[in-house]
Each structure stands twice: as structure tokens, then as C-alpha cells.
Amino acid sequence: MLTACNNMKIWSRETKSQTGSDAGEHGAGLIANAIRANGHANIIVATGASQFEVLEALAASREVNWSVVTIFHLDEYVGLPITHPASFRRYLRERFISKLPAPPRAFHEIDGEGDAAAECDRLNKLIGGVRIDAAFVGIGENGHLAFNDPPADFDTDIPYIVVNLDEACRRQQLGEGWFPTLEDVPAQAISMSIRQIMKSKSILCTAPEQRKAAAVRNTVTGPVTPDVPASILQEHLDVTLFVDAASDPLADD
């Protein structure tokens, strides 16, 4: 079911699997349209449990000529080796890049193992001036967008920044099973900034499950505030929020 609230299109399905598949299929259509219009496309991809079905459906699509698609990575932990099960580079390589029918034009992954400031500089040069056709993102239990935890910086123009992860964010990563203890969850990450995400032509935000319900409702129906970073999506001209029955912010309306 498609509804709308505060400039956001809301696509609701019964299950998480349906929600993710719909987001991936819709995103594939946007990428294909960008390729037809421009000869190539640039996208941003996210990770985490909310993106499992999204990336599966996106990789399975035959609409997209991946050889002309440049892929940017949304965020990554600082100091976490790629061999760690929670590495987002590893996640994307195994769950997305390796599943594509052809190699992408480029995959600009984030390497958080070395000098984080230098890595941000490298990525900022790569993405500077690039038109992003579609950004695939999620919403954290604490309302974060990428790893921009509350209160998020809505003002910086720097594309990639080093951020501190709050306890709620770190507990979410623990709860999803990525780490054995809270102490094992890194305290910092390299994240795409809020303003860089908002520069995307289209944003596809997937946020299923009951544990995300309060954050999704605050994102959609509350005020735009750094205390709910994802609420900034209300100000974007083309954002679609993909939810399931458990996280639908308008289910009781």
C-alpha cells in the first residue's frame, strides 16, 4: 500500500522480505532510468539487517547494466578488519558485489582500518561533484541516518566524516548479532554526512521490524530535528520509505 506523509512516500507491505524486495526492485528501475538518460549511474548502498532483501533483489535484477554503475559505500566502522563478520566492506563484497551479474564500473568501499581522516579525504575527492542517482539507506533504532547518531550534524558539507557512535547505536549492533559484547562494538565510524545523502536525486529508505517502529514514526510524523537524524528526509523531494506492518508509521491512522 502506498501512502504519503510530510513529503515522504510510504510503501508498506506485510513482511520484511516483501518490503526489502520491493525496495530493491524499485531501486533497480531508478538506476536503469538513470543509465538510459545519462549513459551511466551512481548509487549509494547501505548495510545492516534491514538491507538483506534490498540488496538481494537489486543484485538479481536484470534491468541494470552494472558495468556502467559506480557504487559508493555509506558507512564503516573505524578500526575493524575486513576479516571481522561485522565489517561492512565484507558484507557488501559477499552479499552484493559478488552477486552482481557483471562487475560494476567502480565500487568505492570504505576502508576503516587505517588513518580514518585520510580515508575520508580520499573518499571526499572521489564523490565530490558526482551526481548520485539513488541512495539506499535505512533508519537506526535511535533514528540515525547512516552512522549519524543524534544529535546529528545537519550543517557540514563534507561528504564523509568520522563520527562517534552512541550507546543506543552500539547496542543495536550488539542486538543484531554482529558483536559478542558491547565492548567489542567500535566507538567510531566513517559515515557519509547528512547533507551528502540529501544531495541524492532519489532516496530509498528501508526500515522494517517492530524495533524500528518508534524511530520510523518520529522520522515521518515528528519535527525535523538533529535529535531524530532521519527526520531530515521530510525535506527531500523524492524519498520513498519502505516499511512492513510492524514498522508502518501510519498503521493506526
Side-chain angles (χ1 to χ4, degrees):
M1 180 176 66
L2 181 65
T3 55
C5 182
N6 285 337
N7 208 40
M8 301 173 68
K9 299 183 289 291
I10 302 170
W11 184 253
S12 180
R13 294 293 300 274
E14 187 65 26
T15 68
K16 176 179 182 289
S17 179
Q18 292 170 326
T19 296
S21 293
D22 286 355
E25 291 170 6
H26 181 60
L30 293 177
I31 298 167
N33 288 342
I35 293 171
R36 282 190 287 269
N38 305 304
H40 63 277
N42 305 295
I43 69 171
I44 299 163
V45 291
T47 53
S50 68
Q51 304 299 308
F52 288 160
E53 294 86 359
V54 179
L55 296 179
E56 181 180 8
L58 191 56
S61 174
R62 293 299 178 262
E63 283 190 81
V64 177
N65 175 9
W66 290 101
S67 68
V68 294
V69 178
T70 296
I71 302 169
F72 289 92
H73 180 177
L74 188 68
D75 49 26
E76 177 62 286
Y77 298 105
V78 169
L80 199 69
I82 196 169
T83 54
H84 193 287
S87 164
F88 290 153
R89 283 186 296 157
R90 176 177 176 176
Y91 174 118
L92 287 173
R93 289 184 187 185
E94 294 180 352
R95 292 181 173 272
F96 185 52
I97 300 299
S98 68
K99 307 295 185 184
L100 297 177
R105 182 183 188 184
F107 170 41
H108 297 308
E109 62 184 12
I110 303 171
D111 182 354
E113 292 188 62
D115 184 326
E119 179 66 354
C120 287
D121 288 343
R122 183 186 72 86
L123 294 164
N124 292 340
K125 291 173 184 175
L126 287 170
I127 203 170
V130 173
R131 181 200 69 252
I132 300 297
D133 299 294
F136 297 85
V137 302
I139 297 173
E141 293 175 24
N142 65 352
H144 72 202
L145 188 60
F147 264 144
N148 297 285
D149 287 338
D153 187 341
F154 280 3
D155 298 321
T156 183
D157 277 320
I158 302 172
Y160 283 93
I161 56 177
V162 177
V163 296
N164 296 320
L165 303 182
D166 70 13
E167 184 172 332
C169 171
R170 295 171 67 234
R171 286 195 178 280
Q172 177 182 329
Q173 311 313 313
L174 175 65
E176 290 182 359
W178 300 107
F179 297 92
T181 71
L182 182 63
E183 290 70 29
D184 291 310
V185 184
Q188 289 189 314
I190 295 173
S191 179
M192 188 172 288
S193 67
I194 294 290
R195 292 193 69 170
Q196 178 61 45
I197 295 168
M198 291 291 285
K199 291 177 182 178
S200 306
K201 181 178 179 182
S202 298
I203 297 177
L204 302 94
C205 181
T206 305
E209 299 186 89
Q210 176 62 38
R211 62 193 176 91
K212 301 284 185 77
V216 171
R217 179 170 287 275
N218 290 337
T219 293
V220 173
T221 64
V224 176
T225 169
D227 293 329
V228 183
S231 65
I232 195 70
L233 294 175
Q234 293 180 31
E235 298 185 355
H236 196 275
L237 296 179
D238 185 16
V239 57
T240 304
L241 177 62
F242 294 86
V243 296
D244 61 7
S247 64
D248 189 339
L250 304 181
D252 298 326
D253 292 355

